[in-house]
Amino acid sequence: MKLLMRIMWWACLAALLAACQEDAKLPEKSVFTEDELIIDPGPLKIGFAMDTLKEERWLKDRELFEQAIESRGLEVEIAAANGDDALQIAQAEKMIQEGIDLLVIVPHNAEATAAIVHKAHGAGIKVIAYDRLVKNAEIDLYVSFDNEKVGELQAEEMLELVPEGNYVYIGGAPTDNNAHLLKKGVFDVLQPAIERGDIHIIYDEWTEDWAPEQAFIHMSQALEINGNQIDAVIAANDATAGGTVVALAQKGLAGSVPVAGQDAELAAIQRIVDGTQSMTVYKPIQQLSERVAALAVELAQGNAIEPTASINNGKSEVPSVLLEPIAVDIGNLESTVFADNFHSAQEIDGME
Ligand code: BGC
């Protein structure tokens, strides 16, 4: 409805301007009444349909995206679905019915969310996939960090620390496309060392919904099966790294087995300072939220955008923008997460 009003508004203005140009003055009697000319549809409204607020990063995403949209004079409606596919679809449908101008979505389930894209497109609303790709639907834009690169950074740093030995891979949620990209990045880097026989993947599991409790169970199993003979762990994010470190701690191994994570969560930075996690991958959320907000405005106004990549999602080549992730360990905490105020050193025990 709002979209219709917006189109009518622009049509009125365009017709009026055309009339002015023809006669070089206002027509004696405008074809529009005064009331019709002042139908102002109000600011553009962006819907932000999030999967979850469980991990610390999503709270930052919510806050920074809201600020980025509002600072551009637009409105934003935000909902989070608690990892529930049906709820996420219902929340997005409600936004569509209420007349958002564009939908930004962080899909819980890469495949299930295609239904929302079809609904939005049916209502003439464009869709941006935020951080996670929607599969098998013609989404208009995908903006994320380079997730394969995240995995590569993890594996490169771990190979330097542990060039030979037994590796455990604790993956992310199989329903999240990012989990697959991360894993590809990790294994692309590890493959030559695996082929040389330098490293052995002795355990490799997905983690349903990225749950730390499940990561804990996986890591406990890995330790059990291999008689604690584990030299390195790559976990798909800091939440799963957290579960892993608890399992290692139960065997007195926290701090002696290097662990990699991703997200630069506060708890992970604390573990890096404590020596129980070796590295994380920092993704400046500010850059992501700003970029999506700027592109959302362009798309909602029907302007062309300049993607930096194109990614096949099973249905189409999706115009994409991929930002650079940054490997973080004890050596560059200051110049990365602290310098950017992502966290402050005061929040960390053992730092001044
Ligand atoms: C994100 C990670 C996050 C994970 C769990 C992934 O799609 O890229 O940053 O830790 O989801 O929410």
Side-chain angles (χ1 to χ4, degrees), residues 51-52 55 57-58 131-132 147 176 178-179 210 237-238 262-263 283:
D51 160 26
T52 176
E55 287 87 11
R57 69 154 288 179
W58 301 116
D131 194 77
R132 300 175 177 169
N147 288 286
D176 179 346
N178 284 349
W210 302 86
N237 71 350
D238 286 337
Q262 120 168 262
D263 281 340
K283 300 185 295 185

Side-chain angles (χ1 to χ4, degrees), residues 85-140:
D85 289 346
L87 181 59
Q88 186 165 44
I89 292 175
Q91 288 173 334
E93 267 177 355
K94 186 163 167 274
M95 291 177 184
I96 293 167
Q97 276 159 15
E98 285 171 0
I100 51 165
D101 295 288
L102 183 130
L103 178 66
V104 176
I105 187 157
V106 185
H108 170 250
N109 182 316
E111 302 279 348
T113 328
I116 299 174
V117 180
H118 299 142
K119 292 236 158 87
H121 281 172
I125 295 168
K126 291 193 171 139
V127 182
I128 300 180
Y130 180 111
D131 194 77
R132 300 175 177 169
L133 187 63
V134 176
K135 301 286 295 281
N136 295 317
E138 286 187 8
I139 49 173
D140 300 281

